[in-house]
Structures are given as C-alpha cells and as structure tokens.
Amino acid sequence: MDKETRLVDERRASIQDHEILGDKFNTSHEEATHLGELTPEELVLEKQLRRKIDLAIMPMVVLVYLMNYIDRNNYAAARLQGLEEDLNLTPQQYQTGLSILFVGYIIMQVPSNLVLNYIGKPSWYLGFFTIAWGSVSALTCLVTNFGQIVACRFILGMVEAPFFPGVLFYLSKWYTKKELNLRMSIFYSGSLISGAFGSLIAAGILNGLGHRHGLSPWQWLYIIEGAITVFVGILVCFILPDFPQTWKGLTPELRAVANRRLAIEAAEADVDEAGGMSQLKGFKLAMKDPNTHLLAIAYLCTTGAAGFQNFFPTLTATLGYTRTVSLLLCAPPYIFVTFWALAHSWFSDRVGNRFWFFIYPIPVVCIGMAVFMGTDNFGAKYFSLFLMVIIFSMNGTTYAWIANAIPRPPAKRAAAFAFINSIGNSASIWTPFTYRAVDRPHYRLALGINIGLMIVATICGVTLRFILTNRNRRLERLENEDVALSEKDLAKLRKTAEVEGIDIATARRMQKGYRYMI
C-alpha cells in the first residue's frame, strides 16, 4: 500500500510539473528575449565601448602579468648568474626555494578575492600588490643565505597571489562572457611573453652589469626587474579604471551601454540565493560535481608537466653554450608559443570545441619530452623545447572548459574555480624536486613523470567529454516539448530548482538552448 501511495504521489507531481511547464515556459522565454536585447543604436555604441575598454585595460593587465611572471621566474635565471654559489645552496635547497613560493601563493588566493570584492577598488588593490611584489623582488638582492631566500620566496608568493584571481574578477566586471575568453587568452599571453623578455633582460644584465659596484649579476637582476615592477604598479593605481560606472573616460551614453549590457547578461544568467551561506553551499555543490574533480586533476597534471618552465634556463644550458647564450636561447620558444597559444584559443572559440584543443597538444608535448631525453644533438634537442612549450596553449582551453562544464549556480562556479586553481598550482610545490642535478643533461626522471602526467590528463579529458555528452543528451530531451520527460529527468529538474531557489519552469527555461561545449 505504501508503494502504491508513493507511485500515485510521484505521478501527481509529474503531471503538475508538466502543467507548470506548459503554462509558463513560452511566455517567460519571450519576455526574457525581449528584455535581453540592445537596440541597434546601442549595438553601434557597444563596438565603440569595447574598443575603448580594450585599449584602456588589456595592455595594462598584460604588462602587469608579464612582470608577475618575470619576478616569479627570475629565480631560475639567477641560478645561471651565481645565486647558488654566492648563497652556498645545495641542489635540494635551491629546489626548496623554488617550491616554497607556491605555498604562499596557494594560501592567499581565495582570501584575497574576498577582500578585493569587499574593497571594490581594483586599481588600488591590484596596484598595491604589484608594488608589494616588486619591492620584495628588489629586496631579494640583500639575501645572504638559504633561510633568507626561502623567506623572500614565500613572501613573494603571498603578495603575488592576489593578482591572477583578482584580474579574473576584474575582467568579469567589464566584459560579457562571450568576450571574456579571448581577453583571457590575450591576458595569459603576458606570462608567455615573460619567458622571452625575462631571459633577454637577464642576458643583458649578465653581459653588461656583471659584478658592477660590488654586486653580483643575480643581485642586479632582482634590483632592476623589481624596480620596473614597482613603477608599473604605480601606473596601475592611477591609470587602470575601476568599473564602468566610475570611469570618467566614458561618456554618459557609453557608460549607460556598459552597464546595460552587463545587466542584460545578469538577467539572463542565474543568480545566487540570498544569504551569507551561499558561498559555503556553492563549495559543497562543487565538491559533489565530478566535473570539478576531473578538471582539478587535469589542471594539476598540465601544471605539473609544465613545471619545466621553472628550469628552462637550466634546460637550455645543457645545449653546451655559455650562460649568456643559454639565456638568449630561452626567448625563441616562448615567442613561438605566444603566437601559437593565441591562434589555438581563437580557433577553439571559432570551432566551438574544447576537447580536441585540450587533447591534441598532449602527444606533441610528449614527443618533445621524449626527444629531449633521448638525444644530445643540438638541433633535435633545441627543437624539442619548441614542442614542449606547446603545453602552455592548454591553459586557456582548460579555464574556458571550467566555465562551460560548471555553468551554474555562480557560487558553485566560483568555488570550483578557486578549488581547481589551488589544486593545479599545488603541483608546483613538488615538481621542482624531480629536476635533480644528477639527472643532467637529459632529466629523464622529471620528463618521464611529465609524460605520465600527460597520460592522466588525457584520461580526465576523455572522461569529461563522456559526461558532458550525456548531459547534452538530457538537455535535448528537456528542450523537446513533444517528448514526455521521464521521472529521472523531472527529478533532476526538481533538484536544480531546489538548489537554485527557483520553480521548475524556470529551471527548465534556464537550460533551454544551452549546451555544454565539448
């Protein structure tokens, strides 16, 4: 009798759900479509607005990201300029100094974004921390032993941490989601360009300022690059606009369009429930979604395999040339991959695919690592570095895939981003210890581990594709109003409605026309 009663109740709920969907769906969708459009005049102004925003924001954030990576990775260049000898560091101590930065970096990322959101002044907040890490970098020239270099590296990680997640938050306040992916790829190019410029600056310092005024080349490296970063941070404070409604560089008409287009997107998008527990609930939802864990493992694997960037001058030094030439040899592979990554991201958006653009670099990178491990020929070994750096094109694809595979609610998506980024960067804590001095010149242990990480990333990508394909099939059933929904489909709709605090009709409307990008 209890079973029959339960079946009757479930059937009644199913009929009610279908009636709600039939009565409310079309009207609500038409209203949302009507409200979610810019007028032809506003569309013309939007193009002008986008160009103005691009010119005011993108060059500055790319420049700061370039300095961010230069200051983070000058430790590797300093190794070729006498850092280890002057501080009497053992190989293990050098590796500890390299990895400790990422401990501070991971600790500070999530708290920093909460503070940034509270303060509401991105220009001063980001500018302050840019000045802070530039100052720490410059003062690193004063260290004299292992304990001091470890302390400086740890503090550098803490003050660098606010920048990357802070810029993610900042850009989302200016660009729509359709515009954001390309801007993120342009933004990420700053880290790639830094690999070239950082090594060129280091080579110039080594050649021109070596042991001038009683300072070692590595000390000049920290002083000059740190001073440049401090200057850039000051520019950020006074040049970078905060938000559209406060930027005096916009006319009233452009400011109105800037606010309206983001308001339209917010109206079309889902919103978090009210109350202070939404972030905690979002974190719990993210932890229950297998996509979060698959992407976290995949990102950890790609970040771990890309750890050779912290030893790039060391790798080029195995080619048999002087220290200055070894630093110069770092530049061409990074210049090459900068253009490759931008084209990679553009084609990924153009084709509307994430999976294949995540997968194809993996065998290319593995071949490059295998060649480096197996040959001493200069041409083959140097060419292998060009293959290895293609791994950096995967980062933009991974971040875009995160946003698409975990679309709602926003609290869940935000928690997933923070979790995935933290897990991924944790690989940088232990990977330095795999590049052992005894493995020179082929570093077979480290590169062999990297190939294994790439295989695991492939498995994660294939599994995620399978999950998203199944979810898209369910979305197709929900969209087809001629098809009776199964009890399983209705149960999922009810769960979505309950999680997001909406009725079942709205839950179905939110998913109409949406597909996970695979």
Side-chain angles (χ1 to χ4, degrees):
M1 190 65 180
D2 290 340
K3 182 178 180 181
E4 292 177 359
T5 302
R6 179 175 57 81
L7 290 173
V8 169
D9 290 341
E10 289 179 354
R11 181 58 181 166
R12 183 182 297 114
S14 176
I15 293 172
Q16 290 173 346
D17 289 343
H18 281 289
E19 289 174 348
I20 291 172
L21 293 170
D23 292 341
K24 295 185 178 180
F25 179 77
N26 290 329
T27 302
S28 299
H29 180 66
E30 289 170 2
E31 290 174 355
T33 302
H34 174 69
L35 294 173
E37 293 179 355
L38 293 174
T39 66
E41 294 79 9
E42 287 175 325
L43 289 173
V44 173
L45 288 173
E46 186 187 31
K47 292 181 180 180
Q48 181 183 345
L49 171 71
R50 195 159 42 234
R51 287 194 297 269
K52 197 173 184 69
I53 296 173
D54 285 340
L55 290 174
I57 291 177
M58 294 311 302
M60 186 60 68
V61 297
V62 169
L63 175 61
V64 181
Y65 201 21
L66 176 121
M67 298 312 303
N68 180 273
Y69 256 73
I70 285 178
D71 289 334
R72 183 187 306 179
N73 295 329
N74 56 15
Y75 187 66
R79 188 182 195 184
L80 294 186
Q81 298 181 340
L83 174 72
E84 280 184 301
E85 293 84 355
D86 289 354
L87 302 186
N88 296 314
L89 300 180
T90 65
Q92 291 75 21
Q93 288 176 330
Y94 172 82
Q95 291 163 337
T96 300
L98 184 61
S99 66
I100 196 66
L101 178 142
F102 296 96
V103 176
Y105 187 80
I106 292 169
I107 289 173
M108 283 297 294
Q109 277 206 351
V110 176
S112 169
N113 251 24
L114 296 177
V115 175
L116 172 59
N117 192 31
Y118 175 78
I119 291 176
K121 291 282 291 183
S123 60
W124 285 89
Y125 189 81
L126 297 176
F128 169 79
F129 279 103
T130 303
I131 294 171
W133 87 61
S135 301
V136 172
S137 181
L139 292 172
T140 303
C141 72
L142 301 176
V143 302
T144 59
N145 55 52
F146 169 65
Q148 292 174 0
I149 190 67
V150 167
C152 282
R153 292 283 294 174
F154 179 76
I155 296 171
L156 182 64
M158 294 185 71
V159 293
E160 279 194 350
F163 178 69
F164 185 77
V167 170
L168 289 180
F169 167 81
Y170 174 71
L171 293 179
S172 70
K173 295 295 184 179
W174 285 92
Y175 293 104
T176 64
K177 291 178 182 177
K178 293 180 181 178
E179 300 165 347
L180 196 56
N181 191 28
L182 176 60
R183 272 70 184 183
M184 278 302 304
S185 297
I186 296 172
F187 167 60
Y188 182 72
S189 69
S191 67
L192 302 178
I193 298 171
S194 72
F197 277 90
S199 60
L200 292 175
I201 293 172
I205 291 172
L206 179 61
N207 191 50
L209 285 174
H211 301 287
R212 294 287 182 91
H213 305 290
L215 296 177
S216 297
W218 67 267
Q219 291 176 301
W220 280 114
L221 178 69
Y222 278 110
I223 291 171
I224 292 174
E225 292 182 351
I228 294 173
T229 301
V230 169
F231 175 72
V232 171
I234 294 172
L235 292 180
V236 169
C237 290
F238 293 99
I239 295 178
L240 197 68
D242 287 318
F243 299 115
Q245 60 268 27
T246 60
W247 187 24
K248 296 180 180 179
L250 293 180
T251 65
E253 294 80 10
L254 290 178
R255 187 177 296 111
V257 172
N259 290 324
R260 176 164 152 72
R261 72 197 198 112
L262 294 176
I264 287 172
E265 185 176 67
E268 291 177 342
D270 49 311
V271 294
D272 286 326
E273 64 180 56
M277 294 298 291
S278 62
Q279 298 305 316
L280 177 59
K281 187 173 182 179
F283 179 78
K284 291 179 179 179
L285 290 173
M287 292 302 98
K288 292 179 181 179
D289 192 334
N291 291 355
T292 302
H293 302 283
L294 285 171
L295 286 162
I297 296 171
Y299 189 47
L300 181 144
C301 290
T302 55
T303 302
F308 63 82
Q309 66 179 321
N310 297 314
F311 292 87
F312 212 72
T314 303
L315 297 181
T316 58
T318 65
L319 298 175
Y321 289 88
T322 64
R323 291 182 173 183
T324 301
V325 174
S326 296
L327 288 169
L328 292 174
L329 288 173
C330 293
Y334 277 106
I335 294 172
F336 158 74
V337 78
T338 299
F339 291 102
W340 183 284
L342 288 173
H344 169 100
S345 297
W346 185 85
F347 276 109
S348 177
D349 286 343
R350 185 86 172 182
V351 175
N353 182 274
R354 298 288 180 245
F355 172 74
W356 290 113
F357 285 84
F358 179 84
I359 290 295
Y360 89 79
I362 292 177
V364 176
V365 172
C366 290
I367 290 172
M369 292 178 176
V371 171
F372 191 94
M373 288 191 292
T375 184
D376 289 312
N377 177 270
F378 169 80
K381 204 168 188 180
Y382 191 50
F383 177 69
S384 72
L385 296 177
F386 284 81
L387 299 181
M388 288 164 60
V389 296
I390 288 177
I391 193 173
F392 298 122
S393 65
M394 298 174 65
N395 286 348
T397 300
T398 302
Y399 272 104
W401 214 2
I402 293 170
N404 188 258
I406 309 173
R408 58 172 69 95
K412 174 185 175 182
R413 184 170 61 249
F417 261 111
F419 175 78
I420 293 168
N421 197 46
S422 296
I423 294 297
N425 279 286
S426 68
S428 299
I429 296 175
W430 58 267
T431 51
F433 296 96
T434 65
Y435 292 83
R436 304 179 304 177
V438 296
D439 295 328
R440 180 185 171 91
H442 297 105
Y443 294 97
R444 291 190 175 97
L445 173 65
L447 298 183
I449 291 173
N450 292 348
I451 291 174
L453 291 173
M454 288 285 88
I455 294 172
V456 176
T458 302
I459 295 171
C460 291
V462 171
T463 305
L464 181 61
R465 185 177 190 271
F466 174 77
I467 291 174
L468 296 182
T469 299
N470 284 338
R471 291 188 180 183
N472 279 343
R473 288 173 183 161
R474 183 175 66 85
L475 289 171
E476 288 176 3
R477 291 197 303 272
L478 292 176
E479 185 172 313
N480 189 346
E481 297 181 23
D482 295 329
V483 175
L485 299 182
S486 67
E487 292 299 329
K488 185 177 181 180
D489 291 332
L490 285 169
K492 289 183 178 293
L493 274 178
R494 292 193 196 100
K495 186 174 181 180
T496 299
E498 179 184 354
V499 165
E500 305 204 26
I502 55 180
D503 59 46
I504 193 169
T506 305
R508 186 177 187 184
R509 183 172 69 251
M510 285 168 55
Q511 299 178 80
K512 186 175 178 67
Y514 181 83
R515 293 294 183 274
Y516 293 95
M517 190 176 290
I518 299 175

